[in-house]
Amino acid sequence: MLTFLTPGLVISLIFVIVGIFIIAKGLVIVRQSEVMVIERLGSFNRILESGVNIIIPFIERPRPISMIRYIRMGEEYHPVSSDETRIDRRETVMDFPGQPVVTTDNVTVNINGALYYQIIDPRRAVYEVANMSQAVEVLAKTTLRSVVGKMELDKLFESRSEVNNAIQAEMEEPASKWGVKLTRVEVQDISMPEEVEEAMRLQMAAERRRRATVTEAEGEKAAAIAMAQGQRESAILNAQGDKESAILRAQGEQESIRLVLSAIGDTEENKQTVIGYLLGQSYIKALPTMAKDGERVFVPYESSALLGSMGMFRELAGSPEDAVRHALQKDGLRGGVVGSAASHG
């Protein structure tokens, strides 16, 4: 057995073992979405992409990157620091603890946010900043205080999207120097002191009561407007009806006077007689209304004289209808029409 292990074979075995060790040490498999920053003798050499890669052991080595991640246990966040040689280029979320922020109306609120970022340039992420994740976290906190400090409390609750966009816009430029791209920033929880919450609840209740009062007042206003419009339209219709009725009555009286005058003769004396008779009839119709609200009725002197003239008119010429009939008889219509009317009467 010893004669089989010659010096040349031993040396060969040593070279084989060393070669296997070098190959095992220098063969690097990088997974998808990961990269490695390789240094040669302490200086940057290249970046290994996903797949099978070979490095020179003891001469080339990967440069680690420091990362800080938070583990949430209940309501508390515990930071965990690690040095990683494989840099993940996927989008990563950083859920950092809540930070006290003072608004412009001097209200201290505790804001918990989440930051989504992606490493675009691994070389800058390793060499441009000592601890990339910690730098991004501190930048996010300071930017959050700066943006929220310019807003009032009510505005902060109403415009979370504006706060997110403002934080992202202010962080893009410094983060890009570190080879990091910020995809979005989210303000998750906003907590405040109990007295501020109580004041906001009272304010909300008062606002709801105010809206209810305004709505009720608007409803009453609309109802009053509708009622007024209805009364206006009703008054217009009534006025139009009274107008048409008065016109029709006037036309009827005009036609009656014309017929009476055409029957008894269109003289001045007959006109005065007919007008006096019609006025007397109007006085007689108005007497019940005049006596309705009192026990005594005062009749003007002219009305008593007018009523007397009506009596005289009836004694002398009868009623206007009789005058029409006498006038028709004088015009030669006695034979057929009047006679037949008398026989029927």
Side-chain angles (χ1 to χ4, degrees), residues 77-145:
Y77 289 81
H78 298 275
V80 177
S81 179
S82 62
D83 292 334
E84 302 175 1
T85 57
R86 299 176 181 268
I87 301 175
D88 195 343
R89 301 186 66 173
R90 295 176 297 177
E91 186 175 2
T92 306
V93 58
M94 179 186 294
D95 189 6
F96 51 87
Q99 299 297 313
V101 182
V102 181
T103 60
T104 54
D105 46 356
N106 295 325
V107 179
T108 303
V109 294
N110 197 47
I111 299 180
N112 180 19
L115 177 66
Y116 295 83
Y117 67 93
Q118 184 178 9
I119 298 176
I120 302 299
D121 192 345
R123 180 179 179 180
R124 287 188 176 184
V126 172
Y127 292 105
E128 297 294 333
V129 62
N131 191 316
M132 186 273 301
S133 60
Q134 185 179 11
V136 172
E137 176 189 352
V138 174
L139 178 62
K141 292 178 180 179
T142 54
T143 307
L144 178 64
R145 293 192 184 97

Side-chain angles (χ1 to χ4, degrees), residues 296-308:
R296 297 180 181 181
V297 179
F298 296 91
V299 180
Y301 175 78
E302 292 80 359
S303 62
S304 61
L306 185 60
L307 294 176

Side-chain angles (χ1 to χ4, degrees), residues 275-296:
I275 292 173
Y277 176 75
L278 294 175
L279 290 175
Q281 282 187 332
S282 300
Y283 273 108
I284 292 173
K285 291 179 181 179
L287 284 176
T289 304
M290 295 170 61
K292 182 172 63 176
D293 297 331
E295 296 179 354
R296 297 180 181 181

